[in-house]
Amino acid sequence: MSAVSTPTRPVLSHLRALESEAIYVMREVAAEFERPGLLFSAGKDSLVLLRLAEKAFRPGRFPFPLMHVDTGHNFPEVIALRDQRAAELGERLIVASVQDSIDRGRVVEETGPRASRNRLQTTTLLDAIAEHNFDAVLGGARRDEERARAKERVFSFRDDFGQWDPKNQRPELWNLYNGRIRKGEHVRVFPLSNWTELDVWEYIEQERLDVPSIYYAHEREVFERDGMLYAWRDGAELIDGETVFTESVRYRTVGDMTCTGGVRSHAATLQEVVAEIAATRLTERGETRADDRVSEAAMEDRKKVGYF
């Protein structure tokens, strides 16, 4: 008598499980909030968010506009892809400008060779949230980026001043998310919370997503400061002893050029980048973001006053 074979259940891959969770979170936002927005910089994480939004809502339009907080010192390759993807999808792109905040006297620009507009983004972001009445803002932050990020809930509550209090967050048991807020409050939502940097790159490879060319190794004029390689740009000020030289670098993050360092690399293909990330033991922000080196609590301090 032959044994009866039992049908095997399909196994959900690691990346597909993360994808499913993120799509569920996005749809929860669409169901629970009236005026959400999605932060989109054309960095690797936000490009993944964009693909997830396509899977969650296409063939319909997104239930939220895209928004970028532009410091005015962004890598031009990133801005070009930002505009290209928004146009290809036919989605509304809101650009909140730090330069406009400076011109209106909302913030004061720093001066000197270490000046950066990165910290000024918080005011621009909060002003844009208020202007567009956003009650939820989705972003690509992940818990593995930095210790303050690791404290975040998926639905991260912000008070009516846009402030984050890690002790005043809602429980998230069994993937149940509480989106109840009062007028003036809002929620930051992180669908990629449980992803790692390697997960993001493997998903980019799986989905064959275009990313800015600066993520791949390329020859670039740089200068070294505090152990980091910064891209040379018009208007940059050197400190005594610093020189501009050419190096093969790539970028793990694509933030403001004034505080984002490159890493020496020859990983010029997607497969080589994935292999390099799999082997590294340094977080992307810890290795390449000067604003996170100010103090051990630098990110948490910025988040408490409204930074993403």
Side-chain angles (χ1 to χ4, degrees):
M1 182 176 178
S2 60
V4 177
S5 62
T6 303
T8 58
R9 298 178 62 184
V11 177
L12 189 64
S13 73
H14 173 63
L15 285 182
R16 289 306 180 198
L18 290 173
E19 177 189 71
S20 178
E21 177 189 52
I23 289 173
Y24 167 70
V25 170
M26 286 188 159
R27 289 174 173 167
E28 281 293 296
V29 169
E32 292 192 41
F33 296 95
E34 294 182 7
R35 295 182 62 86
L38 186 149
L39 284 185
F40 178 62
S41 66
K44 65 183 186 307
D45 303 295
S46 64
L47 286 164
V48 167
L49 277 186
L50 206 64
R51 172 51 58 89
L52 294 168
E54 289 184 80
K55 293 193 175 189
F57 305 112
R58 285 299 195 237
R61 293 184 63 83
F62 294 170
F64 38 66
L66 312 178
M67 183 172 75
H68 181 216
V69 179
D70 186 353
T71 67
H73 292 159
N74 297 97
F75 290 90
E77 300 95 328
V78 181
I79 295 299
L81 186 58
R82 178 200 72 182
D83 294 342
Q84 175 188 323
R85 289 298 293 131
E88 289 171 350
L89 292 171
E91 296 292 346
R92 179 187 175 201
L93 173 64
I94 299 167
V95 178
S97 168
V98 171
Q99 184 61 56
D100 287 347
S101 298
I102 294 170
D103 293 343
R104 292 187 288 112
R106 293 286 294 145
V107 294
V108 178
E109 184 159 25
E110 299 175 4
T111 59
R114 296 184 183 276
S116 171
R117 290 185 173 182
N118 195 57
R119 287 180 289 276
L120 308 184
Q121 292 182 90
T122 297
T123 298
T124 306
L125 172 62
L126 293 176
D127 286 351
I129 289 173
E131 178 184 351
H132 298 283
N133 265 340
F134 289 137
D135 51 5
V137 182
L138 297 106
R142 309 182 320 271
R143 291 189 179 119
D144 77 323
E145 287 182 73
E146 202 272 344
R147 66 189 71 183
R149 296 282 199 215
K151 297 180 182 180
E152 286 280 17
R153 300 289 196 267
V154 175
F155 276 33
S156 179
F157 172 75
R158 303 300 173 104
D159 64 21
D160 51 0
F161 293 101
Q163 297 174 326
W164 174 68
D165 180 357
K167 297 179 182 179
N168 185 26
Q169 300 296 317
R170 288 87 179 264
E172 292 180 342
L173 305 176
W174 306 291
N175 290 338
L176 297 176
Y177 303 114
N178 182 356
R180 293 183 179 180
I181 56 173
R182 293 176 293 188
K183 185 175 178 59
E185 299 170 341
H186 71 277
V187 172
R188 311 279 176 89
V189 182
F190 305 110
L192 305 185
S193 287
N194 295 323
W195 297 50
T196 65
E197 184 183 9
L198 181 59
D199 292 330
V200 167
W201 278 109
E202 289 181 333
Y203 191 77
I204 288 170
E205 182 178 27
Q206 176 179 282
E207 295 293 311
R208 300 179 181 178
L209 301 183
D210 289 332
V211 297
S213 59
I214 65 172
Y215 278 120
Y216 302 116
H218 58 288
E219 296 285 326
R220 197 179 197 102
E221 286 191 317
V222 298
F223 61 94
E224 187 166 1
R225 178 179 297 168
D226 303 327
M228 295 173 61
L229 297 177
Y230 294 95
W232 172 252
R233 59 183 177 81
D234 290 340
E237 295 184 43
L238 298 179
I239 297 174
D240 289 346
E242 295 177 344
T243 59
V244 177
F245 58 95
T246 301
E247 183 63 85
S248 176
V249 299
R250 72 174 194 85
Y251 290 83
R252 293 176 66 183
T253 65
V254 292
D256 189 294
M257 294 176 72
T258 61
C259 62
T260 303
V263 295
R264 289 181 172 89
S265 174
H266 294 285
T269 68
L270 189 51
Q271 293 74 22
E272 290 171 344
V273 170
V274 170
E276 189 173 273
I277 293 301
T280 189
R281 291 297 177 265
L282 296 174
T283 65
E284 61 199 273
R285 295 193 70 95
E287 184 177 21
T288 65
R289 292 298 289 269
D291 48 330
D292 289 338
R293 296 185 175 190
V294 176
S295 71
E296 290 190 1
M299 170 66 83
E300 184 160 338
D301 291 341
R302 294 199 308 279
K303 284 170 62 62
K304 285 180 177 178
V305 296
Y307 187 79
F308 211 86

